Amino acid sequence: MHIRLTATLIAGTLTSPAAVPAAVSTSGRQADFAAAAREYGVPESVLLGVSYLESRWDTNGWSPSTAGGYGPMHLVDAPPGRRPLSALRMADPPASLPQAGLLIGADPATLRKDPAANIRAGAALLASYQDRPSADPSAWYEAVARYSGAADETGAQQFADEVFSVMREGVERRTDDGFLVRLDPVPALSSPREQSENADVECPASLACEWMPAAYRRFGKKSNRDYGNHDHLSRTRAVDYIVIHDTEGSYKGIPSMINDPKYVSWHYTIRSGDGHVAQHVPTNDIAWHAGNWDVNTRSIGIEHEGRLAQGGTWYTEAMYRSSAKLVKYLADKYDIPLNRAHILGHDNVPGPTPKAVPGMHDDPGPYWDWAHYFDLMGKPLKEAKNGDSIMIRPSYGENQSRFTGCAGGKPAKDCPKHGAATVWLHTQPSESSPLVSDPGKHAGTPGTYSVYDQSARASTGQRYAVAARQGDWTAIWYLGQKAWFHNPPSNPTAVPAKGPVVTPLKAGTKVYGRAYPEKSAYKLASYQPLAPLPYKIGPGQQYTVGGTITGSYYAAGAFSPAKHVTTTGDLRYYQIQLGHRVMFVMAKDVRLID
């Protein structure tokens, strides 16, 4: 990839400028940033911008990030060796915790537990990357890029671009020390902007994306059928969903996985530390990522470096912002609604068959901040006037629900307290009552509090029909039963929403994990049985509708796209929010209430 640097103003923002409150406390983390900025001659806006992209100014419970970074300044304890980048004179290694400690005379243990020391050390390290002292924030672009720790120039510049974007917009939030921190907007800020001349990538202009192609080649004896790791198409396909994944591993393993034709594939990967984006599969081609072929044929998959249990607390702002820009770009390109019925987590994808249901994936998990993500896309999850249903929307930072199993082992220990985007669902309006049961996953036993078990959870942005209310509790229709969650008026975890719902016409109405056509529609492809899932719904229940689908099946299974066959029938389905996952009901089996 040839890189060109041009001096220009980066256009476009994803969030509105921060509203200026009456006052911001001079105590807490705001004071720590101000003091460190003065001590080391770093503009406070630069220091705040860098830290916001790295950690959103939080300590994250002093858990290390995917890259081994700690604290508000994401100082890396044992960074891997990185090659220097000539254009930006990258340090090796950048954002080093031991190096930062030497600059301020603090031992590594202190930097892993003291936020003020961590911020001081980060400021000293950032200042060491600056050739000439300057009070002008725009003069710090190269130092910010070096601080990113990116292994390549593209990622370093992408990180710096996002820091400067945050500085232009301004932002404020209450951090994990309980105090409000504010970065005032710097609206006239200008910065160098990287532009990619690689025509292969499909990305918004504000993201410098890398083309890292997935393997597409034959292997084995049956050369026409033994191939990987995705399907080329000879026609234009419709895309209904974008599926959000996490890698459950580090970015450094991505090239070898994506280049293995016997492995699965996905369209994009986003790196945690700097938000760098790599594209692997053209968006018009089918990647093998969702665990459900029907969803694969109608979706784009985006992996995010991280782990839902440990790294889940370190989904970085740099990654959120790059991902939000990318999703908004793809949604515009394919006319995909920006809502939680179409922007799915991997944990929202239905099992295609009863046998597959227990093993469906759980990422990105409860720590993915859906409300913040949609804010960045310019599509905030707002309450509706005269709502006839509800949308789950707890306050992420305050919603520190109980989870177990983050550290593994048996018996499972409670996870460290952290904000979450989900609410627990009980059989009765009481915290002491059992969690609801998922018939497809637990066979009649209650759901668990495991961070990996989504069977008794509802997630931010998901819309449900109200089944009952009692005091501070609300019940929704969920997997064929009433499921109760705590929803006090003083601190609501759901807001009014509006949209169509369906109600079953008879008892035992079947639910499906894929919207395939009727048997008579198959002429050239093998018939795909309509296998109902282990869930049944009945009259009196209501489920929210995400869309209407005409049954179709895309038969690939051959290296050459010319041998692929599309079967389209007359059978119509509604996509419904049945539980934590979306599923499908036949339109003939339900009544639509619009």
Side-chain angles (χ1 to χ4, degrees):
M1 182 187 295
H2 177 67
I3 302 298
R4 181 176 69 249
L5 268 173
T6 58
T8 184
L9 183 68
I10 300 176
T13 60
L14 292 174
T15 56
S16 301
V20 179
V24 173
S25 174
T26 56
S27 303
R29 208 148 293 162
Q30 185 91 46
D32 293 338
F33 281 112
R38 287 193 302 270
E39 183 178 1
Y40 293 101
V42 181
E44 189 174 346
S45 61
V46 173
L47 187 61
L48 285 165
V50 168
S51 178
Y52 187 79
L53 258 290
E54 294 283 25
S55 67
R56 295 177 75 193
W57 305 326
D58 283 339
T59 64
N60 284 293
W62 295 106
S63 298
S65 74
T66 315
Y70 287 87
M73 295 305 298
H74 192 246
L75 298 175
V76 180
D77 200 2
R82 301 180 187 275
R83 60 181 179 84
L85 304 179
S86 56
L88 293 173
R89 302 188 300 282
M90 295 288 291
D92 186 20
S96 163
L97 186 146
Q99 179 186 351
L102 290 174
L103 290 174
I104 69 167
D107 62 275
T110 299
L111 302 188
R112 289 194 292 265
K113 64 182 181 182
D114 184 335
N118 188 279
I119 292 168
R120 283 187 66 232
L125 192 61
L126 188 59
S128 75
Y129 295 155
Q130 179 70 4
D131 290 340
R132 296 180 181 178
S134 177
D136 180 6
S138 64
W140 285 75
Y141 183 86
E142 290 191 8
V144 171
R146 291 175 65 181
Y147 191 97
S148 71
D152 52 76
E153 186 172 355
T154 300
Q157 291 175 334
Q158 176 62 45
F159 177 84
D161 286 346
E162 286 302 318
V163 169
F164 273 56
S165 180
V166 167
M167 290 161 63
R168 269 193 303 277
E169 298 162 10
V171 66
E172 67 178 39
R173 69 183 295 268
R174 193 167 300 279
T175 60
D176 56 8
D177 67 347
F179 290 94
L180 191 69
V181 176
R182 185 177 81 230
L183 166 58
D184 289 326
V186 189
L189 185 68
S190 62
S191 66
R193 174 185 175 181
E194 179 192 67
Q195 295 180 342
S196 169
E197 295 180 355
N198 192 332
D200 293 320
V201 294
E202 300 167 89
C203 265
S206 58
L207 289 180
C209 299
E210 173 187 2
W211 177 240
M212 186 192 293
Y216 183 71
R217 56 180 180 267
R218 294 184 174 99
F219 60 86
K221 297 179 180 180
K222 297 179 181 179
S223 59
N224 194 47
R225 295 184 61 84
D226 294 342
Y227 68 95
N229 52 17
H230 56 283
D231 285 288
H232 283 338
L233 270 67
S234 58
R235 60 163 177 81
T236 301
R237 69 169 179 147
V239 178
D240 298 324
Y241 310 111
I242 296 173
V243 181
I244 305 302
H245 304 253
D246 75 48
T247 59
E248 291 299 305
S250 69
Y251 186 89
K252 66 182 179 181
I254 297 300
S256 61
M257 288 190 289
I258 210 70
N259 197 41
D260 183 355
K262 296 183 180 181
Y263 198 59
V264 295
S265 60
W266 51 96
H267 293 89
Y268 298 88
T269 304
I270 303 181
R271 195 161 57 200
S272 175
D274 53 17
H276 174 61
V277 179
Q279 183 177 2
H280 313 297
V281 177
T283 58
N284 193 60
D285 289 348
I286 299 172
W288 305 347
H289 65 98
N292 181 318
W293 177 250
D294 184 36
V295 175
N296 280 348
T297 63
R298 299 187 282 121
S299 69
I300 292 170
I302 304 176
E303 290 278 359
H304 298 76
E305 183 185 17
R307 296 179 175 87
L308 75 88
Q310 293 112 13
T313 58
W314 267 101
Y315 291 140
T316 66
E317 183 66 9
M319 187 166 66
Y320 275 128
R321 293 175 69 89
S322 290
S323 184
K325 287 183 178 181
L326 178 61
V327 169
K328 190 174 187 303
Y329 163 85
L330 295 171
D332 289 343
K333 179 176 181 177
Y334 286 100
D335 196 25
I336 303 169
L338 284 175
N339 59 42
R340 288 286 279 115
H342 296 86
I343 311 302
L344 303 176
H346 199 184
D347 52 357
N348 305 136
V349 174
T353 63
K355 185 177 180 180
V357 167
M360 292 303 289
H361 286 251
D362 309 309
D363 59 301
Y367 298 129
W368 184 265
D369 191 347
W370 288 105
H372 180 57
Y373 194 45
F374 275 82
D375 284 345
L376 290 172
M377 287 187 277
K379 194 72 172 179
L381 301 172
K382 295 181 178 179
E383 66 178 271
K385 293 182 179 179
N386 303 316
D388 47 20
S389 51
I390 58 99
M391 178 174 65
I392 304 298
R393 203 189 69 180
S395 173
Y396 181 87
E398 297 175 7
N399 183 43
Q400 299 196 356
S401 303
R402 178 197 176 198
F403 292 98
T404 64
C406 288
K410 293 182 179 180
K413 296 181 179 179
D414 282 5
C415 299
K417 289 294 185 182
H418 193 277
T422 60
V423 296
W424 289 113
L425 300 173
H426 295 262
T427 57
Q428 299 293 330
S430 167
E431 294 283 0
S432 61
S433 66
L435 297 176
V436 298
S437 174
D438 181 338
K441 188 160 185 168
H442 291 296
T445 60
T448 72
Y449 287 96
S450 169
V451 71
Y452 297 101
D453 185 359
Q454 79 295 328
S455 59
R457 299 201 301 248
S459 181
T460 293
Q462 292 179 327
R463 188 170 66 91
Y464 294 92
V466 175
R469 298 183 191 272
Q470 183 174 319
D472 288 346
W473 289 76
T474 300
I476 56 176
W477 290 112
Y478 187 93
L479 299 176
Q481 61 198 302
K482 289 181 180 180
W484 294 86
F485 67 98
H486 195 225
N487 185 29
S490 60
N491 186 24
T493 52
V495 296
K498 201 167 185 64
V501 299
V502 293
T503 187
L505 295 175
K506 59 182 180 180
T509 294
K510 296 176 180 178
V511 179
Y512 301 86
R514 48 194 181 185
Y516 279 171
E518 66 277 10
K519 187 174 184 179
S520 60
Y522 291 86
K523 306 299 182 185
L524 300 175
S526 299
Y527 168 58
Q528 301 297 305
L530 295 170
L533 299 181
Y535 308 104
K536 292 182 180 180
I537 56 179
Q541 300 178 18
Q542 293 184 353
Y543 296 90
T544 62
V545 175
T548 305
I549 301 164
T550 299
S552 66
Y553 169 64
Y554 186 84
F559 185 77
S560 171
K563 296 181 180 294
H564 298 179
V565 175
T566 300
T567 300
T568 303
D570 297 319
L571 193 58
R572 291 173 60 250
Y573 295 83
Y574 292 120
Q575 176 190 318
I576 63 170
Q577 191 69 57
L578 183 73
H580 188 76
R581 302 181 189 273
V582 299
M583 298 182 202
F584 308 99
V585 291
M586 293 182 185
K588 65 181 180 63
D589 292 337
V590 296
R591 178 169 61 90
L592 179 67
I593 305 171
D594 194 349

